[in-house]
Amino acid sequence: MAEHRSMQRGALLDAARSLLSEGGTEALTFPALAERTGLARSSVYEYFRSRAAVVEELCEVDFPVWAAEVETAMQAAEGPEDTVEAYVRAQLALVGDRRHRAVVAISSSELDAGAREKIRAAHGGLVAMIGEALEALGHEQPRLAAMLLQGIVDAAVRRIELGAAEDPEVITEAAVGMALRGVRG
């Protein structure tokens, strides 16, 4: 029974990822989850009390995986500039991944404190690593520089997601170029 429940929970989370990546947080509704999974709406409520609970669990499951992939790329880098480049490239490489799209949709929405805390925890390691790299490059305010750097990444993510006129590779190279010129100060 427990195995069946965990499979249904997994199916619900997967349906939530799809809904988020297709239509953002507005698309994530219990009727839509029920329809996607073939469960009765009342069954969806057995697994999750609210949309916030679905989002919070996705944060718990997907953010650490996503952050670990970015972190692995950063750890393989040699030197602070390569670390910054890996930070940008790894995030943009994950754009096509449904988990990443769900992560983006979630992080741009109004989150409750529980979900925000889980995102902050997952992001903590990345922010610390990018902060160290920026400090090594001579930034006096590495946290501010990190936030601005993430702004470049977020803009590039949106541009790729929109299916902009430019090729994703072109957007990635432009973002990497701007980031590296920017962090050199």
Side-chain angles (χ1 to χ4, degrees):
M1 185 69 195
E3 195 174 313
H4 178 67
R5 279 190 71 78
S6 119
M7 266 174 58
Q8 286 196 328
R9 192 175 203 90
L12 283 164
L13 288 175
D14 211 44
R17 280 182 200 102
S18 294
L19 290 164
L20 283 165
S21 66
E22 290 159 21
T25 44
E26 300 77 56
L28 181 61
T29 64
F30 277 37
L33 281 172
E35 193 182 321
R36 285 282 165 105
T37 53
L39 291 168
R41 203 181 310 181
S42 58
S43 300
V44 178
Y45 281 101
E46 285 175 33
Y47 291 92
F48 298 104
R49 335 175 275 294
S50 62
R51 272 171 31 138
V54 179
V55 167
E56 193 170 326
E57 185 144 339
L58 275 177
C59 290
E60 206 169 314
V61 174
D62 289 358
F63 262 84
V65 175
W66 173 85
E69 287 179 39
V70 177
E71 205 165 307
T72 300
M74 289 168 74
Q75 282 165 343
E78 292 180 29
E81 241 178 67
D82 279 355
T83 302
V84 170
E85 182 168 344
Y87 177 79
V88 175
R89 282 190 190 282
Q91 289 189 66
L92 296 180
L94 288 167
V95 172
D97 185 320
R98 268 184 337 147
R99 269 183 337 216
H100 183 275
R101 284 209 296 274
V103 161
V104 170
I106 288 167
S107 50
S108 66
S109 71
E110 287 300 300
L111 295 173
D112 68 358
R116 270 202 308 276
E117 199 39 59
K118 292 193 169 72
I119 292 171
R120 242 197 314 277
H123 266 261
L126 291 181
V127 172
M129 284 175 81
I130 204 63
E132 282 165 27
L134 293 167
E135 213 168 327
L137 288 166
H139 281 272
E140 285 171 23
Q141 291 184 287
R143 278 193 71 83
L144 173 61
M147 287 174 74
L148 297 173
L149 174 62
Q150 187 59 44
I152 292 173
V153 175
D154 293 343
V157 165
R158 277 193 301 278
R159 192 95 190 137
I160 293 170
E161 297 257 312
L162 285 170
E166 311 87 7
D167 207 45
E169 281 83 50
V170 172
I171 297 169
T172 299
E173 292 313 314
V176 167
M178 284 191 81
L180 290 177
R181 283 192 299 278
V183 297
R184 285 183 195 123

